[in-house]
Amino acid sequence: MRSALKILPIALTLLSAACTAGDGPGQDGQRGIDAASGSEALAALGERYWEWHLEASPRSATSIGDRRYDDRLADITPTGRERRYEAIEAFLSELRAIGRESLAGQDLISYLALEEELQDDLDRRVCRLAEWRVDHRSGPQVSLLNIADIQRVETIENLRLGLADGLVSNRLSVEYAIEQLRMQLEKPDAEWPLAEPAVVRREGWSDKEHEAFGTALLTAIGESVRPAFERLLGFFEEELLPAGRTGDQVGMVGLAGGEECYRILRQSYTTLGLTAEEIHEIGLQENARIRAEMTTLGKPVFGTSDVSEIQRRLRTDPALHFSTAEEVKAKAEEATARAQAAIPQWFGRLPETPIVVQEIPEYEAPFTTIAYYRRPAADGTRPGTYFINTYAPETRPRYDAEVLAYHEGIPGHHLQLAIAQELTEIPEFRKYQGATAFVEGWALYTERLADEMGLYTDDQDRLGVLSFDAWRASRLVVDTGIHAFGWTREQAIEYMLENTLLAENNVENEVLPRSGAGERCREPRSAGDPH
């Protein structure tokens, strides 16, 4: 799901952003449609849209290995956002002028995918997320530290606009963001993640060049990024925190226009027009089914069919949890290697790009989920990465380590997303963008497929599969409960503890709640935690 707060307004003229690939949307593009077949026009439009997207969303470009926009970040000022929406509207108008009547096969799929992408972005306009959402998982205090390209952070004015209209994040998310900022600001500049490139020797660089680069990088941190973080911290503490939403108002239900925004977000992430009540009921029914499976599997593992006793044993037995961060990572690597060895017998096409396991950075780990996947760079300079959370290893269960690895890596997100990038017969935008329901649906399917492949060690690991099943079902209940029915955070935590096998710290990180049902899969469209 998509990043909440972008960083640094820059002078982008979004309507002309695609000029490197041809005409942008508008009259010139329309004349091209009249002279070309629907298929050719669609291909040209898709190429121009993707070039515009990369320039308008520079972090997306950097994340896939396109280095043309490494020196900038997206324009999130009100003017910049309006220009973006104008560009999207123009692309959508041109797409619909092409029409889909004459299209078939991959062309029709490309048309529908692009239409969904553009319409989805336009629909989100009503939510005004940039003006109120504070995200401890992908806000600037996290996202900026994840890149080596440094710009000033300017999110405060957007948040002030929302605050003036009564739009504000929930208090707990603001508290977490404050803690993250304080932790970072306590460190000297040279120890910031942004300073790491100054330490790594570049091939072909002289000592003088390396020293000059390091000096410039530390100067940028000290004179630009640190002061921006200090201003952001002051704003969060003095203005945003006192207004933060609490109690039964933490969800979208506590915002003006929240009901309509939540409807749009439900449609976006599920691709279904279901009501909150319908989704809530699906979650309840799924949990009842999964609970029955837990009673059956719990008998051979623990000698009991009592779900409460199964939960107690899984959550409290030290032998069922890791002891060190090294153990957590080693298990992730072992499961990934086992899956890697098995996939040639199960799949006809394998990714050319490798996968590696990496620990979630320390500035992010205490506040985020148990794992996530980051797609590889298209130019081959960075492999696919399975990020595993090794913070507080004694709270990390052994019984869900295997299902987690198969979901995030192989045969889950890595197999799907790395192969997608390597396809040659589809437009560029389809290689990197896709509905959350599709991306996460595949990874969820592979958790059960992994059992057919013989990848799980024993029935304890299969209980981990049921735990993840219950996690997703409980999300349907909890998400609608918080955002549509006025549940408190405490109600949501209690429900998840009663209906899943998840560790308590994971449940608490899960139910903050996030401001606006957002995940990592949107900006860039890469997989987040196990949905």
Short mmCIF file of all heavy atoms in Angstrom, two decimals, residues 366-405:
data_model
loop_
_atom_site.label_atom_id
_atom_site.label_comp_id
_atom_site.label_asym_id
_atom_site.label_seq_id
_atom_site.Cartn_x
_atom_site.Cartn_y
_atom_site.Cartn_z
N PRO A 366 11.56 -1.33 15.43
CA PRO A 366 10.65 -1.36 16.58
C PRO A 366 9.22 -0.95 16.27
O PRO A 366 8.31 -1.23 17.05
CB PRO A 366 11.29 -0.37 17.57
CG PRO A 366 12.70 -0.23 17.14
CD PRO A 366 12.67 -0.38 15.65
N PHE A 367 9.02 -0.30 15.13
CA PHE A 367 7.72 0.30 14.84
C PHE A 367 6.99 -0.36 13.69
O PHE A 367 5.88 0.05 13.34
CB PHE A 367 7.91 1.79 14.50
CG PHE A 367 8.76 2.53 15.48
CD1 PHE A 367 10.11 2.74 15.23
CD2 PHE A 367 8.23 2.99 16.68
CE1 PHE A 367 10.91 3.42 16.14
CE2 PHE A 367 9.02 3.66 17.59
CZ PHE A 367 10.37 3.87 17.32
N THR A 368 7.58 -1.37 13.09
CA THR A 368 7.00 -1.90 11.87
C THR A 368 6.63 -3.37 12.01
O THR A 368 6.77 -3.97 13.08
CB THR A 368 7.97 -1.70 10.68
OG1 THR A 368 7.26 -1.89 9.45
CG2 THR A 368 9.15 -2.66 10.73
N THR A 369 6.19 -3.95 10.93
CA THR A 369 5.69 -5.31 10.92
C THR A 369 6.83 -6.31 10.93
O THR A 369 8.01 -5.96 11.00
CB THR A 369 4.80 -5.51 9.68
OG1 THR A 369 4.21 -6.79 9.73
CG2 THR A 369 5.62 -5.38 8.41
N ILE A 370 6.50 -7.59 10.83
CA ILE A 370 7.49 -8.65 11.01
C ILE A 370 8.40 -8.83 9.80
O ILE A 370 9.50 -9.36 9.93
CB ILE A 370 6.81 -9.99 11.36
CG1 ILE A 370 5.77 -10.36 10.30
CG2 ILE A 370 6.19 -9.91 12.73
CD1 ILE A 370 5.07 -11.68 10.58
N ALA A 371 7.96 -8.40 8.62
CA ALA A 371 8.76 -8.59 7.41
C ALA A 371 8.12 -7.86 6.25
O ALA A 371 6.94 -7.50 6.29
CB ALA A 371 8.89 -10.08 7.08
N TYR A 372 8.91 -7.66 5.19
CA TYR A 372 8.37 -7.18 3.93
C TYR A 372 9.37 -7.48 2.82
O TYR A 372 10.53 -7.81 3.08
CB TYR A 372 8.03 -5.68 3.96
CG TYR A 372 9.14 -4.75 4.35
CD1 TYR A 372 10.07 -4.30 3.42
CD2 TYR A 372 9.25 -4.27 5.66
CE1 TYR A 372 11.08 -3.43 3.76
CE2 TYR A 372 10.25 -3.40 6.02
CZ TYR A 372 11.17 -2.97 5.07
OH TYR A 372 12.17 -2.10 5.43
N TYR A 373 8.90 -7.37 1.58
CA TYR A 373 9.74 -7.65 0.41
C TYR A 373 9.93 -6.38 -0.40
O TYR A 373 9.01 -5.59 -0.56
CB TYR A 373 9.07 -8.71 -0.48
CG TYR A 373 9.76 -8.95 -1.79
CD1 TYR A 373 10.89 -9.76 -1.88
CD2 TYR A 373 9.29 -8.36 -2.97
CE1 TYR A 373 11.53 -9.98 -3.08
CE2 TYR A 373 9.92 -8.58 -4.18
CZ TYR A 373 11.05 -9.39 -4.24
OH TYR A 373 11.68 -9.60 -5.43
N ARG A 374 11.16 -6.18 -0.88
CA ARG A 374 11.44 -5.06 -1.77
C ARG A 374 11.89 -5.61 -3.11
O ARG A 374 12.84 -6.39 -3.18
CB ARG A 374 12.52 -4.15 -1.19
CG ARG A 374 12.83 -2.93 -2.05
CD ARG A 374 13.81 -2.00 -1.35
NE ARG A 374 13.20 -1.42 -0.15
CZ ARG A 374 13.90 -0.86 0.84
NH1 ARG A 374 15.21 -0.82 0.78
NH2 ARG A 374 13.28 -0.36 1.89
N ARG A 375 11.22 -5.21 -4.17
CA ARG A 375 11.51 -5.74 -5.49
C ARG A 375 12.93 -5.35 -5.92
O ARG A 375 13.48 -4.36 -5.45
CB ARG A 375 10.50 -5.25 -6.50
CG ARG A 375 10.52 -3.77 -6.73
CD ARG A 375 9.71 -3.38 -7.98
NE ARG A 375 8.28 -3.49 -7.79
CZ ARG A 375 7.53 -4.32 -8.50
NH1 ARG A 375 8.06 -5.12 -9.38
NH2 ARG A 375 6.22 -4.34 -8.31
N PRO A 376 13.53 -6.12 -6.83
CA PRO A 376 14.89 -5.82 -7.30
C PRO A 376 14.91 -4.59 -8.20
O PRO A 376 13.88 -4.15 -8.72
CB PRO A 376 15.28 -7.07 -8.08
CG PRO A 376 13.99 -7.68 -8.51
CD PRO A 376 13.00 -7.36 -7.44
N ALA A 377 16.11 -4.05 -8.38
CA ALA A 377 16.29 -2.98 -9.36
C ALA A 377 16.28 -3.61 -10.76
O ALA A 377 16.88 -4.67 -10.98
CB ALA A 377 17.61 -2.25 -9.12
N ALA A 378 15.63 -2.95 -11.69
CA ALA A 378 15.49 -3.51 -13.02
C ALA A 378 16.82 -3.61 -13.76
O ALA A 378 16.98 -4.44 -14.65
CB ALA A 378 14.52 -2.65 -13.84
N ASP A 379 17.80 -2.78 -13.36
CA ASP A 379 19.09 -2.82 -14.03
C ASP A 379 20.03 -3.86 -13.44
O ASP A 379 21.19 -3.95 -13.83
CB ASP A 379 19.75 -1.44 -14.00
CG ASP A 379 20.02 -0.95 -12.58
OD1 ASP A 379 19.69 -1.68 -11.62
OD2 ASP A 379 20.56 0.15 -12.42
N GLY A 380 19.54 -4.65 -12.48
CA GLY A 380 20.34 -5.72 -11.90
C GLY A 380 21.32 -5.29 -10.82
O GLY A 380 22.07 -6.13 -10.30
N THR A 381 21.28 -4.02 -10.44
CA THR A 381 22.23 -3.55 -9.42
C THR A 381 21.81 -3.90 -8.00
O THR A 381 22.62 -3.77 -7.08
CB THR A 381 22.40 -2.03 -9.52
OG1 THR A 381 21.11 -1.39 -9.37
CG2 THR A 381 22.99 -1.64 -10.87
N ARG A 382 20.56 -4.30 -7.81
CA ARG A 382 20.10 -4.68 -6.48
C ARG A 382 19.18 -5.89 -6.59
O ARG A 382 18.26 -5.89 -7.40
CB ARG A 382 19.33 -3.51 -5.82
CG ARG A 382 18.99 -3.74 -4.36
CD ARG A 382 18.10 -2.64 -3.79
NE ARG A 382 16.78 -2.63 -4.41
CZ ARG A 382 16.33 -1.67 -5.20
NH1 ARG A 382 17.07 -0.63 -5.46
NH2 ARG A 382 15.11 -1.74 -5.73
N PRO A 383 19.42 -6.94 -5.82
CA PRO A 383 18.56 -8.13 -5.89
C PRO A 383 17.22 -7.89 -5.22
O PRO A 383 17.01 -6.86 -4.55
CB PRO A 383 19.37 -9.18 -5.13
CG PRO A 383 20.12 -8.38 -4.11
CD PRO A 383 20.48 -7.09 -4.81
N GLY A 384 16.30 -8.82 -5.38
CA GLY A 384 15.10 -8.80 -4.57
C GLY A 384 15.50 -9.02 -3.12
O GLY A 384 16.42 -9.80 -2.83
N THR A 385 14.83 -8.34 -2.20
CA THR A 385 15.25 -8.40 -0.80
C THR A 385 14.09 -8.75 0.11
O THR A 385 13.05 -8.09 0.09
CB THR A 385 15.86 -7.07 -0.34
OG1 THR A 385 16.89 -6.67 -1.25
CG2 THR A 385 16.45 -7.20 1.05
N TYR A 386 14.27 -9.80 0.88
CA TYR A 386 13.33 -10.20 1.92
C TYR A 386 13.83 -9.59 3.22
O TYR A 386 14.82 -10.02 3.78
CB TYR A 386 13.26 -11.72 1.98
CG TYR A 386 12.59 -12.32 3.20
CD1 TYR A 386 11.62 -11.64 3.92
CD2 TYR A 386 12.93 -13.61 3.61
CE1 TYR A 386 11.01 -12.21 5.03
CE2 TYR A 386 12.32 -14.19 4.72
CZ TYR A 386 11.37 -13.49 5.42
OH TYR A 386 10.77 -14.06 6.52
N PHE A 387 13.14 -8.55 3.68
CA PHE A 387 13.51 -7.87 4.92
C PHE A 387 12.81 -8.54 6.10
O PHE A 387 11.58 -8.64 6.13
CB PHE A 387 13.12 -6.39 4.86
CG PHE A 387 14.06 -5.54 4.06
CD1 PHE A 387 13.85 -5.33 2.71
CD2 PHE A 387 15.17 -4.96 4.66
CE1 PHE A 387 14.71 -4.54 1.96
CE2 PHE A 387 16.05 -4.17 3.93
CZ PHE A 387 15.82 -3.96 2.58
N ILE A 388 13.59 -8.99 7.07
CA ILE A 388 13.06 -9.68 8.24
C ILE A 388 13.31 -8.84 9.49
O ILE A 388 14.39 -8.27 9.66
CB ILE A 388 13.69 -11.09 8.38
CG1 ILE A 388 13.10 -11.84 9.56
CG2 ILE A 388 15.20 -11.01 8.47
CD1 ILE A 388 11.69 -12.31 9.35
N ASN A 389 12.33 -8.77 10.36
CA ASN A 389 12.45 -7.99 11.59
C ASN A 389 13.08 -8.84 12.68
O ASN A 389 12.49 -9.83 13.13
CB ASN A 389 11.07 -7.50 12.03
CG ASN A 389 11.16 -6.33 13.00
OD1 ASN A 389 12.12 -6.20 13.76
ND2 ASN A 389 10.14 -5.49 13.00
N THR A 390 14.29 -8.48 13.10
CA THR A 390 15.00 -9.23 14.14
C THR A 390 15.00 -8.50 15.47
O THR A 390 15.64 -8.94 16.42
CB THR A 390 16.45 -9.48 13.71
OG1 THR A 390 17.13 -8.22 13.55
CG2 THR A 390 16.51 -10.24 12.40
N TYR A 391 14.26 -7.38 15.56
CA TYR A 391 14.17 -6.64 16.81
C TYR A 391 13.43 -7.47 17.87
O TYR A 391 12.45 -8.14 17.55
CB TYR A 391 13.42 -5.33 16.57
CG TYR A 391 13.17 -4.50 17.80
CD1 TYR A 391 14.17 -3.74 18.37
CD2 TYR A 391 11.91 -4.49 18.39
CE1 TYR A 391 13.93 -2.97 19.50
CE2 TYR A 391 11.66 -3.72 19.51
CZ TYR A 391 12.67 -2.97 20.07
OH TYR A 391 12.43 -2.23 21.20
N ALA A 392 13.91 -7.45 19.11
CA ALA A 392 13.31 -8.23 20.20
C ALA A 392 13.10 -9.68 19.76
O ALA A 392 11.97 -10.16 19.68
CB ALA A 392 12.00 -7.61 20.66
N PRO A 393 14.17 -10.41 19.45
CA PRO A 393 14.05 -11.75 18.86
C PRO A 393 13.28 -12.74 19.74
O PRO A 393 12.66 -13.67 19.22
CB PRO A 393 15.50 -12.19 18.68
CG PRO A 393 16.29 -11.35 19.62
CD PRO A 393 15.58 -10.03 19.66
N GLU A 394 13.30 -12.53 21.05
CA GLU A 394 12.58 -13.45 21.94
C GLU A 394 11.07 -13.39 21.74
O GLU A 394 10.34 -14.27 22.21
CB GLU A 394 12.93 -13.14 23.39
CG GLU A 394 12.40 -11.82 23.94
CD GLU A 394 13.24 -10.60 23.53
OE1 GLU A 394 14.28 -10.80 22.84
OE2 GLU A 394 12.85 -9.47 23.89
N THR A 395 10.59 -12.36 21.02
CA THR A 395 9.16 -12.24 20.72
C THR A 395 8.82 -12.78 19.33
O THR A 395 7.66 -12.76 18.93
CB THR A 395 8.70 -10.78 20.81
OG1 THR A 395 9.28 -10.03 19.72
CG2 THR A 395 9.10 -10.16 22.13
N ARG A 396 9.82 -13.24 18.60
CA ARG A 396 9.61 -13.70 17.22
C ARG A 396 9.38 -15.21 17.22
O ARG A 396 10.27 -15.99 17.56
CB ARG A 396 10.82 -13.36 16.35
CG ARG A 396 11.24 -11.90 16.40
CD ARG A 396 10.18 -10.99 15.81
NE ARG A 396 10.49 -9.57 16.06
CZ ARG A 396 9.69 -8.57 15.76
NH1 ARG A 396 8.52 -8.82 15.19
NH2 ARG A 396 10.03 -7.33 16.03
N PRO A 397 8.17 -15.65 16.84
CA PRO A 397 7.84 -17.08 16.89
C PRO A 397 8.58 -17.90 15.84
O PRO A 397 8.75 -17.46 14.70
CB PRO A 397 6.34 -17.11 16.63
CG PRO A 397 5.86 -15.72 16.85
CD PRO A 397 7.00 -14.84 16.47
N ARG A 398 9.00 -19.09 16.22
CA ARG A 398 9.60 -20.01 15.27
C ARG A 398 8.53 -20.61 14.35
O ARG A 398 8.80 -20.93 13.19
CB ARG A 398 10.32 -21.15 16.01
CG ARG A 398 11.54 -20.69 16.81
CD ARG A 398 12.19 -21.86 17.51
NE ARG A 398 13.32 -21.45 18.33
CZ ARG A 398 14.58 -21.32 17.89
NH1 ARG A 398 14.84 -21.60 16.63
NH2 ARG A 398 15.55 -20.92 18.68
N TYR A 399 7.31 -20.77 14.87
CA TYR A 399 6.29 -21.51 14.13
C TYR A 399 5.74 -20.77 12.92
O TYR A 399 5.11 -21.39 12.06
CB TYR A 399 5.15 -21.94 15.06
CG TYR A 399 4.50 -20.80 15.83
CD1 TYR A 399 3.48 -20.04 15.29
CD2 TYR A 399 4.91 -20.51 17.13
CE1 TYR A 399 2.89 -19.00 15.99
CE2 TYR A 399 4.33 -19.48 17.85
CZ TYR A 399 3.33 -18.73 17.28
OH TYR A 399 2.77 -17.70 17.99
N ASP A 400 5.95 -19.44 12.82
CA ASP A 400 5.48 -18.76 11.61
C ASP A 400 6.64 -18.27 10.74
O ASP A 400 6.44 -17.56 9.77
CB ASP A 400 4.52 -17.62 11.94
CG ASP A 400 5.16 -16.47 12.70
OD1 ASP A 400 6.40 -16.41 12.76
OD2 ASP A 400 4.41 -15.63 13.24
N ALA A 401 7.87 -18.68 11.09
CA ALA A 401 9.04 -18.23 10.33
C ALA A 401 9.04 -18.79 8.90
O ALA A 401 9.44 -18.10 7.95
CB ALA A 401 10.32 -18.62 11.05
N GLU A 402 8.61 -20.03 8.73
CA GLU A 402 8.64 -20.62 7.40
C GLU A 402 7.56 -20.05 6.49
O GLU A 402 7.82 -19.67 5.35
CB GLU A 402 8.51 -22.15 7.50
CG GLU A 402 9.74 -22.79 8.13
CD GLU A 402 9.74 -24.31 8.01
OE1 GLU A 402 8.77 -24.87 7.45
OE2 GLU A 402 10.70 -24.93 8.50
N VAL A 403 6.33 -19.97 6.98
CA VAL A 403 5.26 -19.42 6.14
C VAL A 403 5.57 -17.96 5.78
O VAL A 403 5.28 -17.52 4.66
CB VAL A 403 3.89 -19.53 6.86
CG1 VAL A 403 3.83 -18.70 8.12
CG2 VAL A 403 2.76 -19.12 5.90
N LEU A 404 6.21 -17.24 6.68
CA LEU A 404 6.58 -15.86 6.40
C LEU A 404 7.59 -15.79 5.25
O LEU A 404 7.46 -14.96 4.34
CB LEU A 404 7.16 -15.22 7.66
CG LEU A 404 7.55 -13.75 7.58
CD1 LEU A 404 6.35 -12.88 7.26
CD2 LEU A 404 8.20 -13.31 8.90
N ALA A 405 8.58 -16.68 5.29
CA ALA A 405 9.60 -16.69 4.24
C ALA A 405 9.00 -17.04 2.88
O ALA A 405 9.37 -16.45 1.85
CB ALA A 405 10.71 -17.68 4.60
#
